[in-house]
Amino acid sequence: MILSEGDWLALGVSIQLALLTTVILLGLCTPLAWWLARRRLPGQALLEAVLALPLVLPPSVLGFYLLIGLGPNGPGGWLADAFEQRSLAFTFTGLVIGSVVYSLPFVLQPLKNAFSSIDSQQLDMAAVAGARPRDRFFSLVLPQCREGYASAAILGFAHTLGEFGVVLMIGGSLSGETRVASVALYEHVEAGDYISAHRLAAVLLGLSLLLLWGLFRWQRRRPGLGAMP
């Protein structure tokens, strides 16, 4: 067995977290990216700067504020009530919320770039022909943005899979619930167990490389995709 049972469990939590976060972000960022790509309004630059903060903000800083916000006395207490919990800190639900915030620009930017490349004349012609907005989106926009969606999904998944600072701050290390692979790796190093650390790091390295290799290989076959934020 390459990994211990505990490490496999942590890797499973990481993959589950990455999948759920990616699905949520694709749904959340689709209308947001469309709005940002097709509108120019006062204050929009500031909004985009706020949404892009996770790209440059230290994860520990973001994790600290999320910990405060999701704690029992934080402003996110109403969310805990909605999930019938006293606090969302140190729960899998809290991890998902933190991951959505932390990985948002990695999904939002590829979708925004893809939507920005859509020719407005095509949409106008379809509107003149009687196509409703929903029909125009599904018949014209989505087929032309498949590469953008693929890039957004892969980048969002890979980025969430590699999280450390945010998940450690708001999730801790509860086995089977909030102990993800990056935290397990840190604990191995802290305990001086470099053999287990090497094994887990190699699995994460291989998985991340495989994801990015697939993305760049697809981009080379489909030129014109501006996906990287």
Side-chain angles (χ1 to χ4, degrees), residues 16 36 38 81 92 105 126 135 147 163 170 172 175 181 206-207 211 218:
Q16 181 183 359
L36 291 173
R38 314 303 291 189
D81 294 337
F92 184 77
D135 296 330
E147 294 87 352
E163 288 181 42
I170 65 175
S175 182
L207 183 57
L211 288 169
W218 192 2

Side-chain angles (χ1 to χ4, degrees), residues 152-184:
I154 292 174
L155 290 174
F157 183 92
H159 188 252
T160 303
L161 188 67
E163 288 181 42
F164 175 70
V166 170
V167 295
L168 181 63
M169 291 287 283
I170 65 175
S173 182
L174 301 177
S175 182
E177 184 174 356
T178 65
R179 184 175 184 260
V180 296
S182 58
V183 173

